[in-house]
């Protein structure tokens, strides 16, 4: 005599067998008929290459966070401690660590770039608005390392000497 469990198992097995046979028929029928033309595979054109990275506008951090971010960036870029202090003092004097500061005479951002230098920064950043702090620092680094008028900064051995060189150099002066 079969129990309730055995009977239930037979009914479930029969249901599974019927379902499999029906789905098998559908699969065989699908294999016999070609797909409609509109669903046939057509290769898609290759996507365009990605755009070069751009400096996008973001809400600038408050001054204390900006100061810490600047110090960390400069440290990672290999600046010596007294040079970092001089650059921090310069950023404080120019913008009070406000990354998107706008001063009189069209001067902008951390180090109050203006005129041709502001245009160069915006080309460097691929952005006409306020660049991110790391982009501004990368541009300042490029200026410091490539413009001969900053030789005094690199030759300085103290924070006051480095700061004085920055004030002269960024002010379009020279050593």
């Amino acid at each position: 005599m079969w129990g309730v469990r055995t009977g239930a198992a037979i009914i479930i097995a029969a249901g599974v067998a019927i379902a499999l046979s029906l789905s098998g028929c559908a699969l065989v029928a699908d294999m016999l008929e070609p797909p409609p033309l509109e669903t046939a595979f057509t290769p898609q054109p290759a996507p365009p290459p990605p755009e070069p990275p751009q400096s996008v506008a973001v809400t600038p951090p408050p001054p204390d966070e900006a100061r810490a971010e600047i110090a960390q960036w400069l440290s990672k870029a290999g600046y010596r401690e007294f040079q970092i202090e001089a650059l921090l003092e310069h950023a404080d004097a120019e913008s009070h660590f406000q990354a998107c500061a706008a001063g009189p005479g069209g001067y902008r951002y951390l180090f109050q770039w203006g005129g041709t230098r502001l245009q160069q920064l915006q080309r460097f950043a691929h952005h006409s608005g306020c660049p991110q702090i790391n982009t501004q620092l990368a541009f300042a680094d490029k200026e410091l390392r490539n413009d001969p008028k900053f030789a005094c900064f690199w030759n300085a051995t103290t924070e006051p000497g480095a700061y004085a060189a920055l004030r002269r150099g960024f002010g379009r002066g020279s050593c």
Side-chain angles (χ1 to χ4, degrees), residues 11 15 25 53 63 68 70 79 89 101 108 121 125 127 131 144 160:
I11 292 172
C25 291
I70 294 166
Y79 286 82
E89 186 177 352
R108 300 283 185 267
L121 167 62
H127 183 60
L144 289 168

Side-chain angles (χ1 to χ4, degrees), residues 106-109 112-129 131 135 139 142-143 172:
Y107 292 97
R108 300 283 185 267
Y109 316 133
Q112 292 294 282
W113 285 281
T116 302
R117 289 177 61 234
L118 177 59
Q119 292 170 0
Q120 291 169 345
L121 167 62
Q122 291 173 332
R123 277 194 303 274
F124 178 84
H126 302 287
H127 183 60
S128 62
T135 302
F139 182 74
K142 177 179 168 265
E143 285 187 312
R172 299 304 265 164

Side-chain angles (χ1 to χ4, degrees), residues 21-40:
S21 69
L22 290 176
S23 66
C25 291
L27 290 175
V28 171
D30 287 344
M31 290 190 305
L32 295 175
E33 293 180 28
L37 290 177
E38 64 271 7
T39 61

Side-chain angles (χ1 to χ4, degrees), residues 127-174:
H127 183 60
S128 62
C130 177
Q132 294 178 0
I133 288 177
N134 63 345
T135 302
Q136 292 185 49
L137 293 171
F139 182 74
D141 180 65
K142 177 179 168 265
E143 285 187 312
L144 289 168
R145 293 184 190 275
N146 295 306
D147 194 328
K149 71 181 172 194
F150 292 110
C152 295
F153 173 78
W154 297 107
N155 293 331
T157 57
T158 65
E159 184 273 331
Y163 179 70
L166 289 173
R167 298 300 291 169
R168 283 192 308 273
F170 277 125
R172 299 304 265 164
S174 62

